[in-house]
């Protein structure tokens, strides 16, 4: 029997995860993203590792022009289905690309990512995302917390981080950290609590 390697984060692994998920309804948009979207004036946004597209469509509905990038064609097929008939779908450009090598043509007012653990080291991935934020723009990184209290490693090390580790990547001369938190939340349909890392920062003008 085929054994799926839950610690692999290459394209095949992501395609297999999305295929296994099937046509289950897309989860609601990430609450840290919806909070940020409610506070920021709309502009150009990048959703890095957009998955089934809930956050990209939420941003579009809030008036943002969204570039939504994902490695997985399966994920983008699900996103495409969610976009059908969505009133703001024409404000999202869906791109299948590897964020380890893809480079945008312009900078964004918001670069956001939610649990998009790629095969490359997290810190280097976050450096790339940070470099795509326009002056005055916002970087929002949402990840899984490494070693949640009392629960051991619920995610492999390569798929988790800490708020301090993310903040360490951001040069204080160039960034104001607005949020560096490790909140806990419950999600409908999930038995376990989610231990998140949320870092929100603004690039100096
Ligand atoms: C855990 S899912 C999260 C999806 C979505 N952001 C969400 O919160 O529901 C991680 C996503 O990151 C994508 N991803 C992983 N590595 C990537 C890479 N190198 N380039 C682009 N997308 C990547 C995966 O295909 C997957 O859709």
């Amino acid at each position: 029997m085929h054994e799926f390697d839950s610690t692999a984060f290459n394209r095949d692994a992501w395609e297999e995860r999305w295929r296994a998920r099937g046509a289950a309804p897309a989860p609601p948009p990430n609450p840290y993203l919806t909070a940020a979207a409610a506070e920021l004036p709309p502009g150009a946004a990048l959703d890095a590792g957009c998955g089934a597209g809930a956050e990209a469509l939420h941003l579009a509905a809030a008036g943002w022009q969204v570039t939504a990038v994902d490695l997985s064609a399966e994920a983008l097929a699900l996103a495409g289905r969610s976009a059908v008939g969505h009133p703001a779908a024409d404000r999202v450009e869906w791109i299948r690309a590897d964020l380890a090598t893809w480079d945008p043509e312009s900078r964004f007012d918001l670069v956001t990512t939610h649990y998009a653990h790629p095969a490359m080291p997290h810190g280097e991935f976050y450096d790339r995302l940070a470099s795509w934020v326009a002056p005055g723009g916002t970087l929002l990184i949402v990840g899984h917390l490494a070693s949640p209290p009392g629960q051991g490693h619920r995610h492999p090390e390569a798929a988790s981080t800490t708020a301090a580790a993310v903040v360490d990547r951001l040069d204080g001369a160039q960034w104001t950290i607005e949020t560096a938190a490790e909140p806990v939340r419950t999600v409908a349909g999930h038995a376990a609590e989610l231990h998140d890392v949320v870092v929100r920062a603004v690039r100096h003008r």
Side-chain angles (χ1 to χ4, degrees), residues 31-41 64 109-112 137-142 163 166-167 170 175-181 197-203:
Y32 312 113
L33 182 269
T34 58
E39 291 171 17
L40 296 169
W64 293 77
D109 304 302
L110 172 66
V111 174
T112 187
T138 294
L139 175 67
L140 175 65
I141 289 175
V142 179
V166 178
V167 168
L170 300 172
W175 293 91
T176 297
I177 308 297
E178 294 192 326
T179 306
V197 169
V198 181
V199 173
R200 185 169 147 184
V202 175
R203 183 189 278 285

Side-chain angles (χ1 to χ4, degrees), residues 57 60-61 82-91:
L57 288 169
S82 299
V84 172
H86 190 286
D90 63 346
R91 278 204 285 274

Side-chain angles (χ1 to χ4, degrees), residues 2 25-26 38 45 49 51 54 56 64 74 77 84 100 102 113 117 135 153-154 158 164 169 174 176 180 182:
H2 174 67
W64 293 77
E74 295 280 343
V84 172
W102 177 82
T113 189
H117 22 83
H153 281 85
R154 288 185 48 232
R169 309 294 300 196
Q174 290 185 44
T176 297
E182 295 176 347

Side-chain angles (χ1 to χ4, degrees), residues 14 18 49-51 55 69-72 75 97-100 114-118:
W14 281 112
W18 283 110
C50 63
E55 288 76 22
V69 178
D70 203 285
L71 189 59
S72 162
D98 185 344
L99 289 158
H114 322 95
Y115 317 114
H117 22 83

Side-chain angles (χ1 to χ4, degrees), residues 21-32:
R21 184 176 171 281
N30 189 282
Y32 312 113

